[in-house]
Amino acid sequence: MTAQKPADFAADSDVGGDAEAPGDTAREASLWRDANFGVFWTAQSLSQLGAQLGQLAFPVLAVTLLRATEFEVGILNAAGLAAFLLVGLPAGAWVDRWLKRRTMILADLVRMVAISAVPLLWWAGALQVWHLYVISAVVGVATVFFDVSYQSFVPLLVPARHVGEANSKLEATAQIARIGGPAAGGALLAVVTAPVLFVGQSVGYLLSAVFLTRTRDREEPRPAREHGSLGTEIREGLSFVVRHELIRRVVLCTAGMNFASMLVFTLLPVLVLRQLGLGPQGMGIIMSVGAAGGLLGAVSGPWLARRIGEGRVIPAGALLGSLALVLVPVAALQTEPGNALVLLTISEFGTTFGALVYNIMQLTMRQRVCPPRLLGRMNASVRCVVWGVMPVAALIGGFLGESIGMVPAMWLGAALSLLSVAPVLFSPLMSMRKLPDSVEEPAS
């Protein structure tokens, strides 16, 4: 689960908020009529579909073809996520200085080139596990810059009143890709080798870059005279996150759940592919059904917010996702692979449903209350913490899987996930039917 307004907006851009922007008349009714948003939406949909093919191919390639151990799988997961911890904070300061769309295009091209190396090394007969570590790390660095720019770009692309709608649409299509991608990948793996799926991922990144070049915005870089030192700008973003009570609680909850879930999910490919013998097709089924839960969560999130309150949806989604995670170690205890498969698909469905409901609302809240000039640094600060714990958890998960066994390690992760819900469950969010809808400066 990813685990997401002092003003002076002109310092960052003259697009976003409720300011006039290209296609603003169409946005009055719905983003469905906004052709410019549609181009951006298409870019992300294609990128997500390609990425999901690779998402399945990485563990299959490592576990089944390269015979990676539990600890090596942990290193592989950590390599892809370490960038959020190592370069996340300076990336936010840099993104606030740069044009965000241009940064996303460059990040997509870097990821395309890096991912293309996997099938090339495989066909040359030279691919080893350490190659996957390096490629995963390069993709991770590019993803840091892409994700920080992406989360900061949406409020600059559409008016504030449509930010929630934009997030919901983007997440809905991302979940559709997560349904179709693993299912298609599982089917393709019956006739092709895992490295071939990386070609689809590479093409997805290329298409995303092409469509991003066709997206229009009026963002202008901040003048150089407004740049402070890198350290000062990083501290400003961190300070905003720490001082804003709602964002602070969301960060604590998300970081805890990400750490806990990574303990479990690091070992999941080994459980499914090796211990239960469900094969790549079983892995594809679990991921696709989980993505269906995410799609339902993405489209029902706004409806749930209206029914029970925007603030209450955040702890409700977190609690549901954590409860569903408990079914993973339960499934690991099953002696019948079919029963384990049913439990794992139910767990993935519930976990992803809760995660998407939670993520859409907490991200929308963060985007509403943060001043645009701080969006990059705020998102980077949040990502540094909530994703930065994941490479550490991946290494710990791989170590615990080998030292105390997979099942005890998974029970530990499930218990920690439940405890992590406390910061949002016992918070002002429980009494909020409507989240803050304007720029806020938290008290010093």
Side-chain angles (χ1 to χ4, degrees):
M1 207 177 285
T2 60
Q4 328 225 348
K5 285 171 175 182
D8 191 14
F9 179 57
D12 201 49
S13 169
D14 60 356
V15 179
D18 283 322
E20 188 73 19
D24 227 23
T25 302
R27 292 189 191 116
E28 290 293 339
S30 170
L31 289 178
W32 287 108
R33 298 183 179 181
D34 186 343
N36 191 50
F37 175 77
V39 173
F40 179 73
W41 192 6
T42 301
Q44 300 320 300
S45 300
L46 292 169
S47 176
Q48 286 289 339
L49 181 59
Q52 291 311 307
L53 293 175
Q55 193 74 16
L56 177 62
F58 251 118
V60 171
L61 179 62
V63 174
T64 64
L65 298 183
L66 300 179
R67 303 297 178 188
T69 65
E70 287 92 334
F71 188 62
E72 287 174 330
V73 173
I75 295 175
L76 179 60
N77 284 339
L81 296 167
F84 286 93
L85 181 62
L86 299 178
V87 301
L89 289 177
W94 284 322
V95 165
D96 274 342
R97 298 179 180 185
W98 300 339
L99 294 174
K100 296 169 182 59
R101 183 169 61 92
R102 185 181 300 173
T103 303
M104 287 187 283
I105 293 170
L106 181 59
D108 268 337
L109 294 177
V110 170
R111 293 190 291 186
M112 179 199 70
V113 172
I115 288 297
S116 297
V118 177
L120 292 176
L121 287 168
W122 174 259
W123 290 328
L127 186 64
Q128 299 179 36
V129 173
W130 73 265
H131 291 134
L132 297 185
Y133 299 160
V134 175
I135 292 167
S136 185
V138 171
V139 172
V141 172
T143 298
V144 168
F145 285 94
F146 184 94
D147 284 0
V148 172
S149 301
Y150 171 77
Q151 288 193 340
S152 305
F153 187 65
V154 172
L156 308 180
L157 187 68
V158 303
R161 61 187 173 279
H162 286 316
V163 167
E165 180 188 355
N167 287 331
S168 180
K169 283 179 166 56
L170 291 165
E171 287 295 341
T173 48
Q175 292 307 309
I176 292 173
R178 290 177 186 130
I179 294 171
L188 286 171
L189 284 172
V191 294
V192 300
T193 56
V196 175
L197 296 187
F198 287 95
V199 176
Q201 186 176 13
S202 182
V203 170
Y205 289 137
L206 175 60
L207 290 174
S208 174
V210 170
F211 275 87
L212 280 170
T213 61
R214 298 179 61 85
T215 304
R216 295 291 172 258
D217 66 80
R218 293 184 296 173
E219 183 185 10
E220 297 179 358
R222 288 166 54 201
R225 65 179 181 275
E226 296 181 5
H227 297 170
S229 68
L230 190 65
T232 299
E233 294 200 340
I234 289 173
R235 285 194 298 273
E236 189 178 8
L238 279 171
S239 175
F240 180 83
V241 170
V242 170
R243 290 185 290 124
H244 198 290
E245 182 182 9
L246 296 182
I247 295 180
R248 182 175 67 247
R249 288 179 177 273
V250 161
V251 169
L252 290 172
C253 173
T254 310
M257 289 191 296
N258 280 354
F259 183 91
S261 62
M262 186 53 64
L263 291 179
V264 177
F265 291 137
T266 293
L267 300 171
L268 187 61
V270 181
L271 172 67
V272 173
L273 298 170
R274 186 172 295 162
Q275 181 170 311
L276 297 175
L278 296 173
Q281 292 75 27
M283 193 76 181
I285 290 171
I286 292 167
M287 294 173 67
S288 293
V289 172
L295 174 61
L296 183 60
V299 299
S300 64
W303 179 84
L304 289 171
R306 290 192 298 270
R307 297 289 296 180
I308 67 175
E310 292 180 344
R312 295 169 192 158
V313 162
I314 294 176
L319 183 60
L320 175 60
S322 293
L323 288 171
L325 192 65
V326 175
L327 292 178
V328 176
V330 173
L333 297 173
Q334 303 301 304
T335 56
E336 172 56 47
N339 293 337
L341 179 61
V342 171
L343 288 172
L344 288 173
T345 52
I346 293 172
S347 172
E348 192 75 7
F349 184 95
T351 300
T352 315
F353 177 91
L356 264 293
V357 170
Y358 172 86
N359 277 341
I360 287 173
M361 293 311 301
Q362 64 89 5
L363 173 60
T364 300
M365 180 271 291
R366 289 194 282 122
Q367 290 170 333
R368 285 178 181 176
V369 303
C370 182
R373 67 184 182 84
L374 286 174
L375 276 169
R377 281 167 284 173
M378 180 275 292
N379 285 321
S381 298
V382 171
R383 280 285 174 112
C384 180
V385 176
V386 304
W387 284 61
V389 300
M390 294 171 74
V392 177
L395 291 174
I396 293 175
F399 172 77
L400 291 177
E402 288 192 355
S403 59
I404 66 175
M406 282 195 297
V407 177
M410 288 178 167
W411 277 117
L412 176 61
L416 289 175
S417 183
L418 287 170
L419 290 174
S420 300
V421 180
V424 293
L425 188 61
F426 304 103
S427 76
L429 290 167
M430 289 297 293
S431 62
M432 288 185 177
R433 287 205 58 85
K434 185 171 177 59
L435 289 169
D437 196 25
S438 60
V439 174
E440 292 184 359
E441 174 68 37
S444 301

